[in-house]
Amino acid sequence: MNWKPNPWIAGTLGLLLQWPAMLYVIRPLAAFAYLAAGLALGVFGMWAAPRTASVATCAAVGLVALPVICAIHAFLLARRATAPAARPWYSRWYGVLGLPLAAFVLVTTVHSIIVEPFRIPSSAMYPTVPSGSFVLVEKFGFGYYGRHSLFVFRQPPSRLPDRGDMIVFEYPRDPDQLYLKRVIGVPGDRIELRNGDLVINGQPAELRLISETVDHRIYEEFIGDLRYSIARTKRPFHASPPGTWQVPDGKYFVLGDNRDNSEDSRYWGFVPAGNLVGRVW
């Protein structure tokens, strides 16, 4: 057998698809290493983005540098390669192309049906979810099967959120937008806001001051056995409107944890169950 990997094909693959390039030059362990490195840099960059700009920039530089390094690596390996006694199947075109395609189908299926990452662009859920953070949303059972803006298949939800859950949903006034809020009222609840303080079914939510920043006071809010953090702005962008809401069947009352800087059910009403996308892990 006289076949050897072509250096130019190897280098081009290295720029486009790092771990398949290593399969082409018959280096399966290197393929795994490049795959792990790409995933690690991606996850680390998503984690660092809302926290440390300089670290996130380093991760982004690493993601740009990785294809260049792999292209040079694959090119040199191909130039130095000798004809193998038997060419493995994964180095042939159907392995080099088929494995990434299978991985894409698997990831798309998982994101469409089971769990999908979402980036949170606003500070409405501060301090729980800072602006720019990524969250994993559990989708199975909530009736929204598909990746947003790619394809969508809906069916009636077999699971429903509980009070206190953070949920992702289609904004009722514009379903093309996805929002993240916390469920405060479930069907049948009576929700009141008195000077920004929450009352559920006649029971005031307990607040306990945790810390203060220059702009916010951070509280722990207690609703029965539930507890989570909320922020109240020292200089509110707008006052929380007082009011009373009776949550109807099939709908949910949601609030942002950043109570004085969140457009939520106080302003545009309830979230229908049919708008649910999933629950944040």
Side-chain angles (χ1 to χ4, degrees):
M1 183 178 183
N2 296 321
W3 176 86
K4 293 197 304 181
N6 182 294
W8 295 105
I9 294 177
T12 302
L13 278 172
L15 281 174
L16 301 176
L17 301 165
Q18 288 74 62
W19 60 274
M22 291 295 113
L23 295 179
Y24 175 69
V25 296
I26 318 178
R27 294 293 193 278
L29 292 180
F32 177 79
Y34 275 102
L35 175 61
L39 290 173
L41 284 170
V43 171
F44 184 66
M46 289 190 295
W47 174 85
R51 296 171 174 83
T52 310
S54 59
V55 177
T57 301
C58 291
V61 170
L63 285 172
V64 172
L66 189 66
V68 177
I69 294 170
C70 183
I72 297 171
H73 189 194
F75 181 87
L76 294 176
L77 286 174
R79 284 192 63 179
R80 298 168 184 167
T82 57
R87 185 180 180 185
W89 69 270
Y90 55 76
S91 69
R92 298 177 183 271
W93 70 267
Y94 48 81
V96 171
L97 298 179
L99 286 175
L101 179 60
F104 172 78
V105 170
L106 176 62
V107 169
T108 299
T109 301
V110 169
H111 284 182
S112 300
I113 298 176
I114 301 174
V115 63
E116 184 174 4
F118 286 90
R119 185 177 184 273
I120 307 305
S122 76
S123 60
M125 287 301 291
Y126 172 83
T128 311
V129 184
S131 176
S133 295
F134 284 81
V135 297
L136 284 177
V137 177
E138 179 187 8
K139 300 171 73 174
F140 187 75
F142 287 95
Y144 184 104
Y145 299 130
R147 299 191 66 178
H148 197 66
S149 300
L150 182 59
F151 64 88
V152 174
F153 169 72
R154 281 200 173 280
Q155 67 178 32
S158 59
R159 301 173 61 191
L160 295 172
D162 297 319
R163 185 186 296 114
D165 286 346
M166 289 190 295
I167 59 170
V168 171
F169 56 91
E170 293 176 324
Y171 178 38
R173 292 183 177 177
D174 182 3
D176 288 334
Q177 295 188 51
L178 296 184
Y179 274 25
L180 168 65
K181 305 292 179 185
R182 188 180 299 278
V183 174
I184 297 298
V186 298
D189 282 345
R190 181 181 175 86
I191 308 298
E192 298 177 70
L193 282 166
R194 304 170 183 169
N195 298 319
D197 295 329
L198 180 64
V199 180
I200 301 179
N201 299 326
Q203 287 292 114
E206 179 186 350
L207 290 179
R208 182 178 302 166
L209 182 65
I210 300 174
S211 62
E212 292 193 41
T213 67
V214 174
D215 298 317
H216 295 87
R217 293 185 179 91
I218 310 300
Y219 296 92
E220 205 167 30
E221 186 169 75
F222 295 82
I223 303 175
D225 295 332
L226 295 174
R227 65 169 66 184
Y228 47 83
S229 298
I230 67 168
R232 299 293 297 271
T233 310
K234 293 179 179 178
R235 295 178 294 277
F237 294 96
H238 43 66
S240 177
T244 301
W245 296 265
Q246 184 71 38
V247 185
D249 289 341
K251 297 189 177 182
Y252 296 87
F253 186 92
V254 298
L255 294 176
D257 288 349
N258 194 352
R259 290 292 166 81
D260 298 315
N261 188 24
S262 172
E263 293 285 341
D264 45 42
S265 288
R266 294 171 290 183
Y267 302 95
W268 43 255
F270 305 105
V271 177
N275 287 50
L276 295 174
V277 172
R279 179 178 61 185
V280 175
W281 270 354

